[in-house]
Amino acid sequence: MASALYCREIPQVGGNTLFTNMYMAYDLLSDGLKKLLDGLEAVHDIRDYAPFRTRDAEQRAEMNRINPAVAQPVVRVHGETGRKALYVSEALTFRFAGMMEEESAGLLKFLWRRSVQPEFTYRHLWRPGDLLMWDNRCAMHMAPADYAPGQPRLMHRITIFGTPSGRVYDEQAPVLAAA
């Protein structure tokens, strides 16, 4: 549902965090595209998530076991506000449910680019002692690796669980129990 990040140490250069407003990314789509996206699900999968690629085969197998692919609505309706938000991520979304990656690629690339347009984003320049909270249902975040190796970047993060969404996705039997 939400996360909070507390800054203890920050590198001399870089170490910022980028946030994007997924309400705005959805709201400013054309009506025709909104209609197309409304019933689609996207498959979110850590299998090719960059931080896990460096792990050994046994670690990756365990991560895949405890984090199976999940089909999520492309347009997520916020439980409290009722507002619609785009719900795709370049880091984790690889295709639409029921489609191959190559069939999904063009539209996903458009949505990824759309969601991180400058007018939808905020870059937080951290200072020790800063505390930020955000709603994971309508915001995405990313910490670019834009600082020198060996420079300190120490953050404490908590995640607040909310109502689960999506469903475990199996290409052989795509309709499974809720995740």
Side-chain angles (χ1 to χ4, degrees), residues 112-178:
W112 296 332
R113 282 193 315 266
R114 175 67 173 188
S115 66
V116 295
Q117 288 183 262
E119 60 267 32
F120 307 153
T121 62
Y122 164 72
R123 177 183 290 263
H124 187 73
L125 308 175
W126 290 101
R127 293 179 314 256
D130 284 357
L131 172 67
L132 261 68
M133 296 180 71
W134 65 93
D135 189 326
N136 287 311
R137 298 166 294 183
C138 56
M140 281 195 311
H141 76 286
M142 192 228 357
D146 61 354
Y147 52 95
Q151 284 285 304
R153 185 180 190 272
L154 177 61
M155 305 283 185
H156 294 289
R157 178 180 172 162
I158 62 167
T159 299
I160 303 162
F161 289 110
T163 304
S165 68
R167 60 185 173 81
V168 174
Y169 183 77
D170 179 348
E171 292 180 66
Q172 305 307 313
V175 179
L176 298 176

Side-chain angles (χ1 to χ4, degrees), residues 59-72:
Q59 289 174 321
R60 286 193 313 272
E62 178 62 9
M63 292 301 293
N64 287 330
R65 185 189 69 73
I66 61 175
N67 296 288
V70 175
Q72 296 277 6

Side-chain angles (χ1 to χ4, degrees), residues 23 26-27 75-85 137:
Y23 284 143
Y26 176 79
D27 287 345
V75 178
R76 185 170 182 168
V77 179
H78 195 285
E80 278 81 40
T81 68
R83 287 185 66 189
K84 292 182 176 183
R137 298 166 294 183

